[in-house]
Amino acid sequence: MIVDRDKCIGCTLCKQDCIVSDIEMIDKKAHIRNLTCIKCGHCIAICPVKAVSCDDEEEYSMEEVIPYEKEDFTIDADKLMNFMKFRRSVRLFKKDEIEEEKIEKIIDAGRFTQTSTNMQDISYTIVKDSIPELRRMTLGTLNAMADKMLGSEETPKHLLKYAHMWKRMYESFVENPDGPDQLFFKAPLLIIVKAQNEIDGGLASAKMELM
Ligand code: SF4
Ligand code: SF4
């Protein structure tokens, strides 16, 4: 992260807002040490004169920084609430091809979701042609897990119903692989979200789902 000393007016806002105390004031101008910086972008956002930027495009692309415009950044609270209430688990999908730009928008919703300490520990895998193979592998794994759960006295009672359900799903798949798909519901495309931190993965998935 760098500060344009010619633009900096020495207001200290960036220094006050830096969670890892990586900014010092030298001769009344901000200086970023880049020792503990987590590239959270707070200093870029808070600077009133746009003096802060990132010089490493791979780590933090300045092209993706959009200036705040109230009209473009505001959603009516009631509409947002309705939108969240309207959220459903979808189990019936159209067979339509999904346009590239829609897939990219959904992944961007994940990419721009906050992660703990800006770890950005998430990656995305799009599965299309290999869905039948993935279904076979996943159901096989769930079936093996179910066997373990049913064979153990330590399995919590409330989880046993899932073990029975997984076994039924597996058996019905073995009987008729082209029959009803109780796992992916014949979705035309899957996006698998992988994260080191489960909460980060959950947050990104929730935003992607809304998108
Ligand atoms: S990007 Fe975040 S952590 Fe890095 S200097 Fe700016 S405010 Fe501090
Ligand atoms: S917020 Fe901007 S103007 Fe204020 S001290 Fe930091 S770099 Fe300088």
Side-chain angles (χ1 to χ4, degrees):
M1 307 299 286
I2 46 169
V3 175
D4 182 333
R5 286 181 64 83
D6 293 335
K7 285 188 185 166
C8 177
I9 54 170
C11 69
T12 76
L13 283 174
C14 57
K15 178 177 157 60
Q16 292 176 59
D17 202 39
C18 178
I19 187 72
V20 293
S21 304
D22 201 25
I23 304 179
E24 60 189 339
M25 301 303 293
I26 298 177
D27 298 332
K28 298 193 177 159
K29 303 276 181 181
H31 168 73
I32 302 177
R33 285 183 283 249
N34 287 301
L35 293 176
T36 50
C37 173
I38 56 169
K39 296 215 161 44
C40 67
H42 272 233
C43 47
I44 295 174
I46 206 168
C47 179
V49 292
K50 297 190 176 75
V52 189
S53 60
C54 184
D55 52 352
D56 184 344
E57 272 296 303
E58 265 186 36
E59 288 254 31
Y60 192 121
S61 172
M62 290 303 292
E63 277 183 16
E64 293 187 312
V65 176
I66 307 169
Y68 174 78
E69 297 289 346
K70 192 172 179 192
E71 210 170 284
D72 293 340
F73 281 71
T74 308
I75 299 173
D76 176 79
D78 290 335
K79 276 199 175 156
L80 181 61
M81 186 58 79
N82 282 343
F83 189 62
M84 290 195 271
K85 282 181 181 173
F86 189 64
R87 179 259 167 223
R88 293 285 181 275
S89 292
V90 177
R91 299 192 182 91
L92 283 174
F93 294 95
K94 293 177 186 168
K95 287 190 168 56
D96 300 356
E97 273 287 310
I98 300 162
E99 298 90 329
E100 279 293 308
E101 69 258 25
K102 285 188 182 163
I103 301 169
E104 272 173 31
K105 262 227 151 77
I106 293 168
I107 297 216
D108 273 351
R111 268 200 327 120
F112 288 111
T113 298
Q114 75 278 20
T115 52
S116 170
T117 63
N118 198 24
M119 268 208 299
Q120 303 204 18
D121 54 326
I122 306 182
S123 59
Y124 307 91
T125 306
I126 298 170
V127 186
K128 205 166 152 190
D129 298 336
S130 315
I131 293 177
E133 174 64 3
L134 182 64
R135 189 169 156 232
R136 188 188 64 73
M137 285 164 58
T138 310
L139 287 171
T141 305
L142 287 175
N143 185 54
M145 277 169 65
D147 283 340
K148 268 195 196 156
M149 286 160 72
L150 293 171
S152 164
E153 285 176 6
E154 284 167 26
T155 304
K157 274 209 171 84
H158 71 280
L159 291 182
L160 290 176
K161 64 178 175 202
Y162 291 103
H164 287 296
M165 184 177 79
W166 294 340
K167 288 206 72 67
R168 276 200 307 276
M169 283 162 65
Y170 177 73
E171 282 154 16
S172 113
F173 169 75
V174 171
E175 208 175 290
N176 180 12
D178 297 322
D181 175 1
Q182 293 163 300
L183 189 64
F184 301 136
F185 303 96
K186 297 198 188 281
L189 185 132
L190 307 175
I191 303 177
I192 300 174
V193 179
K194 293 175 284 181
Q196 281 174 38
N197 179 308
E198 285 177 8
I199 293 175
D200 288 345
L203 286 170
S205 302
K207 302 262 180 80
M208 291 165 76
E209 186 184 47
L210 289 177
M211 177 59 75

